[in-house]
Amino acid sequence: MFPQKNRNDVNTIMSTLIQSPAWQALQAHFKSIKNTSMRDMFAQDNQRFNKFSTQMDDILLDFSKNRINDETFKLLCELVRERHVFDWRDKMFAGEAINISEFRPALHTALRNRSNTPVFVEGENVMPKINRVLAQMRYFSGRIRGGHLRGYSGHLFKDIVNIGIGGSDLGPHVVCDSMKPYAQRGLDVHFVSNVDPTHLTEILKRVQPESTLFIVSSKSFTTQETMLNAHSARNWFINHTNDKKAIARHFVAVTTNREKATEFGILEENMFEFWDWVGGRYSLWSAIGLPIALYIGMDRFEQLLDGAHAMDQHFKTAPIEKNMPVIMALLGIWYSHFFAAQSYAVISYNQYLRRFSAFLQQLDMESNGKTINRQGQQVDYTTGPIVWGETGSNCQHAFFQLFHQGTRLVPVDFLIPANTCNPLRNKLGNQHEVLLANFFAQTRALMRGKTEAEALAELEASGMAAEKIKAVLPHKIFAGNKPTNSIIFERLDARTLGSLIALYEHKVFVQGIIWNINSFDQWGVEYGKQMASDIENVIAEGKETQRYDDSTNHLMNYCRLLRAEFP
Ligand code: F6P
């Protein structure tokens, strides 16, 4: 039960986080550093990059363009020790039931445990069953890609349609999008998630039943959106083929719920299992990654696992001062609490990564959008930030204005591969080099800003009349001092992508531990699901309702009228 006392007395009962010596020291230190400019700090310290950068394989994180100095970094690292982050990390890797409201471990790291060392859940080593499913995925994807397994009428499979939502969509979706250059010719993959019938309808217009394989991806096999889409896809398939038996060849399931998948008509041999200790938003490493294996092949899927495993090893072994996920977590906390930043942005300078921030939204906001701590009390500090982003350079021409001159502080992660798989050059220039130039220019401009003297000198050099200069000058000044992380890697391949995703997973984990919340449940989402199913019944009745609050009743009744009049 929720302790009422804590709910009402949040201002008087200070949490151990706020009271901790490192936190208090950070609070005091903040006053002395909050107005210091990064420009000055760079001018005074030519070792800044060496001190404030770290590397894992070819992935370089430069965090020197942040509002920190040696003292800040020391205190932030101290917070990691005080909050026993590494003890919790070890508990997670060891399979302890750290998801305390669902009474289970969070063992996505075991799914990519390429060392194959035993990992125990309730006394059972789970590695053999993980390896069994990987072997099943290899066999199945090989047979489909090789044309040995065909549709009911002998056609090669040309389209894979993944039906799932949340973690059963976003993870495999971002990976398939990002790995497009490695896809098998003639095999396309589509993702249906929205219960809006438009989503499925538009995709079904582009595929043929005889050459389409449907993957029903649902941990629970009860999620309303997924089940509705799966049944509609099934109806479409039967309408076109007139052959119910053919379903067995065209529908497979990825689920922890065999019983429900059997009820749907999926054969035992076409079920890909995973387990309740894999959280939805952490599941792309499991059989939920089947569309990835089909699209880019099992070898590349395993490279993705290798990359994530490499980041796991880094997280487990690197000292705090060089530990990439830990550092990114600490910087996030620094801005969120001390500079009151509400959000952070992730800007990928790579078109293939266009869905990366959408994936991170679920990962971060579903994990750390919590107000109750691990002891069941309300927290007295802010927790998970708002995550958003887009691809560069597009967004430079959209919301970057606010980064440069707005009143809000938005820390930004910039990501870019040093090389492109699509080199294009023409008489105006080399396109990837221009992309790189924009990446470097933006982080530098955000850090340096432009002083009044610099702006004035520029305007005078342009020959502008003094009167006009006076009017325009204030608008040409940039405060600068906007924090960014720069993440550069050799190229975007499966291994690097695996490492990058695992990097953010662990960053979110570390923040959850420092905030003393459970990053592995999502009761808020469950509440919405429950309410929607009650309302759905009322809509289906088709009668006017007075069942809910005044606003909801009026909205539903108005909608009912609009629907009745619709031809
Ligand atoms: O959105 C809430 C959620 O429970 C996610 O955590 C999960 O990824 C998604 O729904 C889908 O659930 P399922 O895989 O059980 O269909």
Side-chain angles (χ1 to χ4, degrees):
M1 269 304 288
F2 191 98
Q4 196 66 37
K5 187 168 153 242
N6 283 301
R7 194 193 326 227
N8 295 331
D9 291 351
V10 285
N11 294 327
T12 52
I13 298 179
M14 279 225 293
S15 63
T16 53
L17 174 62
I18 304 289
Q19 282 174 326
S20 72
W23 192 271
Q24 297 279 323
L26 279 164
Q27 192 81 60
H29 168 70
F30 170 68
K31 293 192 184 108
S32 70
I33 196 178
K34 66 178 178 192
N35 295 320
T36 310
S37 86
M38 282 190 269
R39 204 194 247 234
D40 291 344
M41 291 194 281
F42 271 102
Q44 286 153 15
D45 184 356
N46 63 7
Q47 286 305 302
R48 222 176 136 74
F49 172 82
N50 282 340
K51 284 190 220 165
F52 299 140
S53 62
T54 186
Q55 197 169 336
M56 200 289 300
D57 290 351
D58 60 311
I59 303 174
L60 170 76
L61 165 68
D62 169 21
F63 59 101
S64 62
K65 291 192 184 89
N66 276 289
R67 291 167 74 168
I68 57 169
N69 62 16
D70 296 352
E71 179 65 10
T72 328
F73 194 45
K74 195 185 96 198
L75 293 174
L76 286 170
C77 293
E78 193 47 40
L79 191 62
V80 176
R81 290 183 200 98
E82 276 183 11
R83 304 300 286 174
H84 307 290
V85 170
F86 286 171
D87 292 346
W88 282 97
R89 172 199 65 189
D90 295 344
K91 285 184 196 188
M92 174 174 73
F93 277 92
E96 281 192 36
I98 59 169
N99 178 353
I100 46 153
S101 74
E102 294 178 311
F103 315 103
R104 55 197 186 207
L107 257 186
H108 42 287
T109 50
L111 300 167
R112 60 215 191 195
N113 171 21
R114 309 299 289 159
S115 67
N116 210 24
T117 48
V119 179
F120 293 95
V121 174
E122 291 172 357
E124 181 199 1
N125 176 13
V126 293
M127 289 316 298
K129 52 189 188 188
I130 290 172
N131 293 332
R132 179 172 41 75
V133 175
L134 284 174
Q136 186 192 3
M137 288 168 72
R138 175 171 285 282
Y139 180 71
F140 183 75
S141 58
R143 301 237 306 148
I144 297 271
R145 286 164 61 86
H148 309 298
L149 217 57
R150 294 178 177 224
Y152 76 102
S153 56
H155 279 80
L156 288 174
F157 284 111
K158 290 202 292 203
D159 291 281
I160 314 288
V161 177
N162 188 80
I163 301 177
I165 197 165
S168 303
D169 165 71
L170 289 160
H173 201 163
V174 68
V175 175
C176 287
D177 262 21
S178 308
M179 293 292 104
K180 235 187 178 94
Y182 307 105
Q184 171 156 314
R185 257 173 194 277
L187 192 61
D188 209 353
V189 64
H190 315 265
F191 289 85
V192 178
S193 51
N194 200 334
V195 74
D196 178 348
T198 302
H199 201 176
L200 178 67
T201 306
E202 286 299 329
I203 285 171
L204 293 183
K205 280 183 195 167
R206 287 153 48 195
V207 302
Q208 305 302 322
E210 62 272 15
S211 54
T212 301
L213 178 76
F214 292 91
I215 306 177
V216 187
S217 275
S218 176
K219 181 173 169 179
S220 56
F221 226 78
T222 57
T223 301
Q224 195 183 36
E225 291 96 327
T226 301
M227 295 330 295
L228 278 157
N229 276 324
H231 278 277
S232 292
R234 191 177 185 270
N235 290 346
W236 171 86
F237 183 82
I238 294 170
N239 286 344
H240 281 76
T241 59
N242 256 328
D243 185 357
K244 270 193 175 181
K245 275 194 279 160
I247 287 177
R249 294 178 81 123
H250 287 258
F251 282 77
V252 303
V254 180
T255 187
T256 59
N257 192 341
R258 284 180 166 264
E259 220 177 303
K260 290 271 180 214
T262 309
E263 268 172 38
F264 185 88
I266 289 170
L267 297 182
E268 185 79 17
E269 73 226 40
N270 288 338
M271 289 181 202
F272 296 81
E273 190 186 7
F274 67 115
W275 308 275
D276 71 353
W277 39 261
V278 183
R281 54 194 170 275
Y282 300 89
S283 62
L284 73 91
W285 320 103
S286 71
I288 289 289
L290 185 62
I292 306 171
L294 287 161
Y295 191 51
I296 60 171
M298 195 61 191
D299 287 347
R300 283 216 160 81
F301 181 73
E302 288 188 349
Q303 287 165 17
L304 186 83
L305 303 183
D306 291 342
H309 180 62
M311 186 54 77
D312 292 344
Q313 293 308 110
H314 169 84
F315 181 43
K316 277 167 86 169
T317 57
I320 299 176
E321 295 75 12
K322 290 288 166 196
N323 200 305
M324 215 178 270
V326 171
I327 293 166
M328 286 176 63
L330 291 172
L331 290 167
I333 286 176
W334 177 233
Y335 294 117
S336 158
H337 292 276
F338 298 99
F339 290 84
Q342 298 270 355
S343 73
Y344 75 97
V346 179
I347 310 295
S348 309
Y349 278 68
N350 184 282
Q351 196 56 23
Y352 288 124
L353 282 172
R354 66 184 174 277
R355 295 193 62 83
F356 195 50
S357 51
F359 167 79
L360 293 179
Q361 282 174 330
Q362 188 199 17
L363 173 64
D364 202 330
M365 292 160 84
E366 200 168 79
S367 296
N368 285 344
K370 314 280 166 69
T371 49
I372 301 301
N373 70 15
R374 299 179 72 85
Q375 287 70 42
Q377 302 156 332
Q378 189 157 337
V379 295
D380 57 354
Y381 41 81
T382 54
T383 59
I386 299 156
V387 191
W388 57 293
E390 248 296 339
T391 49
S393 62
N394 294 14
C395 51
Q396 289 175 202
H397 302 271
F399 51 77
F400 266 41
Q401 168 61 31
L402 184 144
F403 291 171
H404 286 287
Q405 290 188 307
T407 52
R408 295 173 192 279
L409 181 76
V410 184
V412 191
D413 291 351
F414 280 74
L415 287 86
I416 197 166
N419 300 288
T420 177
C421 0
N422 302 305
L424 283 182
R425 176 197 288 274
N426 60 44
K427 66 179 182 186
L428 297 182
N430 174 320
Q431 292 196 210
H432 189 65
E433 284 177 7
V434 172
L435 187 72
L436 286 163
N438 275 281
F439 175 96
F440 297 125
Q442 288 297 330
T443 57
R444 180 169 152 77
L446 287 164
M447 180 272 284
R448 281 181 67 80
K450 194 185 282 180
T451 63
E452 185 172 348
E454 287 168 346
L456 180 64
E458 265 181 27
L459 290 170
E460 284 174 348
S462 76
M464 189 181 273
E467 216 170 275
K468 279 191 175 170
I469 290 183
K470 200 175 162 204
V472 84
L473 184 60
H475 303 279
K476 297 275 192 170
I477 298 167
F478 294 77
N481 227 8
K482 316 286 190 204
T484 60
N485 289 320
S486 296
I487 299 175
I488 307 186
F489 39 94
E490 190 187 316
R491 63 192 166 124
L492 185 66
D493 57 16
R495 184 182 168 95
T496 302
L497 183 62
S499 297
L500 289 173
I501 294 173
L503 166 64
Y504 278 91
E505 283 181 353
H506 294 322
K507 173 204 155 167
V508 166
F509 169 79
V510 170
Q511 293 187 330
I513 294 303
I514 291 177
W515 289 323
N516 185 27
I517 54 178
N518 177 13
S519 301
F520 297 105
D521 60 11
Q522 58 285 317
W523 294 107
V525 182
E526 307 304 335
Y527 178 50
K529 288 183 189 173
Q530 189 189 330
M531 190 161 291
S533 88
D534 188 67
I535 290 180
E536 183 206 337
N537 294 334
V538 176
I539 295 174
E541 269 175 23
K543 294 187 193 141
E544 198 174 293
T545 185
Q546 298 303 328
R547 190 176 163 93
Y548 305 107
D549 58 89
D550 198 35
S551 163
T552 309
N553 290 339
H554 273 92
L555 288 169
M556 289 176 67
N557 293 335
Y558 180 62
C559 181
R560 180 176 157 269
L561 287 179
L562 294 182
R563 295 184 77 214
E565 287 162 12
F566 198 67

